Amino acid sequence: MDNRQEIREFLVSRRAKITPEQAGLPAGTKRRVPGLRRSEVAMLADVSVEYYAKLERGNLAGVSPSVLDAVARALQLDDAERAHLLALTRAADGTSAILRRRPKAKQWAPRRSLQWVLDAITEGPAFVRNGRMDLLAANRLARAFYSEVYASPQQPPNIARFQFLDPASYRFYPDWSFFADVCVEILHIEAGRNPYDKGLHDLIGELSTRSEEFRARWGAHNVRHHGSGSKTFHHPVVGTLTLAYEGLELAAEPGLTLTVYTAEPGSPSAEALQLLSSWTATQEAEHATVDSERPSATGRDASSSERAEGERGSAR
């Protein structure tokens, strides 16, 4: 992911969304571009046209906070868009490159205490994901809830890959287009925050190659904070659920988010979650029974030795 290209395409896409009327400017005639002209953004931000053109070419290194704030106001950026612009600026200044040169860490695994916290949440799905949408840790109900995501042979399970490459996602997400928008917006935020993440780069390349729906959304350069709200799902076992969610940034693990889903008490969705929990317990009990009845390798070896000994005795 080229930082300069990301900056350029992001600023151009935001400029195209603001009409002269929204900016308090006369519309005029013979406009050749959608939204505002560069000269109009420069005027609103109180910088020269040449300087703004340099910014829009992707040269954000060294830009002052006051200029960034003025550009954000001129483009009427919301909180998520402002944060994304700041992240792109930090990458342009080289901060992300410094972070990239740190020694490679071992593959992340949840601390025992974090898994205990997840397992203690029994009323709803709870899981930890990173900015690439990998599912890194989960409680029992989350694994059952995302059973089709966990069924993927590619590990760790990835919500974005399921969203755009698995036909089952169209059933799981009744409002598929909304979920697709949110998914790409989260990935864009992560790309701005960490443009040197090879795993993210590979994921975006794969989705861009294999999904036209993803390519169209990625080119829109929309971003969004995804902290709380409600969503409707259709689970293959328990049917339709409308769940509230809260996303919590993990202070001890920067870049990771703990998400908890819950249903309104006494609602049909709450009953569906209870049914999913009972179904999961039944499935686990059945698997445990099958495993206990399956002869172990040691048992098979002992039985074979006994048969061989018996045959040798008969021969004698």
Side-chain angles (χ1 to χ4, degrees):
M1 289 167 288
D2 187 306
N3 177 256
R4 290 167 66 95
Q5 180 180 343
E6 284 289 315
I7 294 167
R8 181 170 60 252
E9 293 179 356
F10 178 68
L11 290 177
V12 169
S13 68
R14 297 313 92 180
R15 176 162 61 86
K17 291 179 66 176
I18 306 297
T19 66
E21 292 83 0
Q22 289 173 321
L25 300 173
T29 57
K30 298 182 180 178
R31 301 187 69 88
R32 293 180 297 174
V33 295
L36 297 179
R37 300 184 179 102
R38 280 189 186 138
S39 59
E40 292 169 330
V41 176
M43 180 186 68
L44 292 168
D46 196 24
V47 297
S48 69
V49 176
E50 292 77 14
Y51 188 76
Y52 179 73
K54 185 188 85 165
L55 299 182
E56 205 169 87
R57 286 194 297 271
N59 298 318
L60 283 183
V63 63
S64 70
S66 61
V67 169
L68 279 179
D69 189 55
V71 170
R73 285 199 310 270
L75 295 174
Q76 300 181 19
L77 302 186
D78 62 22
D79 289 344
E81 292 167 330
R82 281 173 176 263
H84 186 58
L85 181 60
L86 288 174
L88 291 171
T89 304
R90 285 194 293 271
D93 282 335
T95 304
S96 296
I98 293 170
L99 294 175
R100 179 183 56 164
R101 288 196 292 269
R102 290 178 177 175
K104 263 192 170 182
K106 295 180 180 179
Q107 185 174 0
W108 187 86
R111 298 181 307 281
R112 288 191 303 164
S113 57
L114 176 57
Q115 189 61 57
W116 294 339
V117 169
L118 291 170
D119 292 339
I121 301 172
T122 59
E123 298 298 318
F127 59 92
V128 174
R129 66 161 178 84
N130 58 20
R132 295 194 301 266
M133 308 292 284
D134 292 327
L135 292 174
L136 301 177
N139 66 357
R140 186 181 70 175
L141 207 48
R143 288 190 293 271
F145 183 72
Y146 281 119
S147 58
E148 293 176 306
V149 183
Y150 276 93
S152 170
Q154 292 180 272
Q155 296 297 315
N158 183 272
I159 294 174
R161 190 175 284 114
F162 172 74
Q163 174 82 53
F164 289 100
L165 302 183
D166 192 329
S169 70
Y170 286 90
R171 179 186 64 242
F172 188 67
Y173 301 122
D175 189 353
W176 189 92
S177 184
F178 167 76
F179 278 89
D181 289 343
V182 170
C183 185
V184 175
E185 289 159 0
I186 291 173
L187 291 178
H188 253 306
I189 287 179
E190 184 65 10
R193 183 166 51 196
N194 191 4
Y196 303 106
D197 184 337
K198 184 180 183 301
L200 178 62
H201 185 280
D202 292 345
L203 175 65
I204 291 170
E206 177 188 2
L207 297 179
S208 297
T209 301
R210 299 177 61 187
S211 171
E212 183 177 349
E213 293 278 8
F214 179 85
R215 284 196 303 275
R217 287 170 169 81
W218 187 255
H221 289 270
N222 293 327
V223 294
R224 177 189 310 215
H225 285 153
H226 188 63
S228 64
S230 65
K231 297 177 180 178
T232 298
F233 305 88
H234 186 86
H235 192 273
V237 174
V238 299
T240 301
L241 310 93
T242 298
L243 303 176
Y245 68 90
E246 294 290 336
L248 311 171
E249 295 292 329
L250 295 181
E253 300 285 354
L256 301 188
T257 301
L258 167 63
T259 300
V260 180
Y261 284 113
T262 188
E264 180 182 352
S267 67
S269 294
E271 295 176 2
L273 279 181
Q274 292 174 355
L275 177 60
L276 181 61
S277 180
S278 298
W279 176 81
T280 304
T282 301
Q283 293 294 108
E284 291 177 348
E286 290 176 354
H287 290 156
T289 300
V290 170
D291 290 342
S292 65
E293 292 176 349
R294 184 181 295 121
S296 66
T298 303
R300 287 195 300 271
D301 292 344
S303 298
S304 299
S305 299
E306 290 169 0
R307 285 197 300 271
E309 183 63 30
E311 290 170 356
R312 284 194 295 273
S314 298
R316 288 195 295 271

